[in-house]
Structure formats: structure tokens, C-alpha cells
Amino acid sequence: MPITNQQVARHAFLRQMHDDSYFPGHVVGRGKAILLRLCERVEAERPSDLESLYALTQAATEEFNLLDREFVAAGSGIETVAREWICDEFCFVASAYGFTEANAEELTAGRDW
């Protein structure tokens, strides 16, 4: 399903991680895919409130929990700076879809990175 939100379609997800050689490009690409799937789900399911949005972001957070293992296996990891970058992307997604009041911690509740 193509993204219809133009702000999201033009966004370079995880650009900072992609530009940092510490993070393997193929694993960063999988992180981008998680975020794009989140956007597709938001567009398809059209959550009407924050609780519905948080349910979608929790599923994406779980995917990042698994992805952290791939980063570690590749000699990297989701550490402090990367954690902030990823959380910023979740906030971007929420804002792009009109959830400007979304809580950054709630968007990624359940993360273990």
C-alpha cells in the first residue's frame, strides 16, 4: 500500500543512522521498513484516538526490540543516540497523522532498547 501522506512520503526515515557507519545499512533499512509499515497501518486503520495509535506504535516497538538483536549481531546496537533518533521518528509519525499531543514515552512503551 503506497503512503498517501505527502509529509511522510517525502521523509527520510532514520537518516542519521543511515549516515553513521556504526549502524549497518541493511539493518537500518529494516528499521525504515518497520516505520513505513507503521505509517501504512495508520493510514489503513485510521486510529481515532491516542490509545488506538499507541496500539499500533507498540507493535512497531516490538519489531524494533527484535531488530536490536540484529544490530548487536552486526556489531552495533540501539544505544542512547540511536534510541533518541528512533523515538524522534515515532514522534514524527504521530505528528504527521495529526496526533500532535502524543506522548513520546507512550509511543515506544515496551521498548527494551
Side-chain angles (χ1 to χ4, degrees), residues 2-16 32 35-36 39 43 89 92-93 95-97:
I3 300 294
T4 61
N5 181 309
Q6 290 307 300
Q7 183 182 10
V8 171
R10 290 188 305 264
H11 186 70
F13 284 105
L14 302 177
R15 182 184 44 80
Q16 300 97 324
K32 290 178 187 181
L35 292 164
L36 287 170
C39 294
E43 290 190 11
E89 297 291 17
F92 166 78
V93 169
S95 179
Y97 289 102

Side-chain angles (χ1 to χ4, degrees), residues 38 50 53-62 86-95 99-111 113:
L38 170 61
L50 282 173
L53 175 68
Y54 293 152
L56 297 179
T57 63
Q58 181 57 43
T61 298
E62 292 295 329
I86 294 168
C87 288
D88 287 348
E89 297 291 17
F90 275 82
C91 289
F92 166 78
V93 169
S95 179
F99 293 95
T100 56
E101 70 284 4
N103 179 286
E105 291 299 315
E106 289 293 324
L107 288 169
T108 57
R111 71 179 180 270
W113 33 270

Side-chain angles (χ1 to χ4, degrees), residues 17-96:
M17 290 179 77
H18 181 20
D19 292 345
D20 188 329
S21 63
Y22 175 71
F23 303 103
H26 70 284
V27 184
V28 173
R30 292 183 53 129
K32 290 178 187 181
I34 292 169
L35 292 164
L36 287 170
R37 277 194 305 277
L38 170 61
C39 294
E40 290 171 352
R41 287 193 67 194
V42 169
E43 290 190 11
E45 297 181 27
R46 300 196 182 280
S48 59
D49 57 24
L50 282 173
E51 290 306 313
S52 299
L53 175 68
Y54 293 152
L56 297 179
T57 63
Q58 181 57 43
T61 298
E62 292 295 329
E63 289 187 70
F64 270 102
N65 287 344
L66 297 174
L67 188 64
D68 186 40
R69 296 178 191 152
E70 292 185 44
F71 276 112
V72 171
S76 182
I78 299 177
E79 38 58 51
T80 306
V81 174
R83 183 179 311 121
E84 293 301 317
W85 290 336
I86 294 168
C87 288
D88 287 348
E89 297 291 17
F90 275 82
C91 289
F92 166 78
V93 169
S95 179

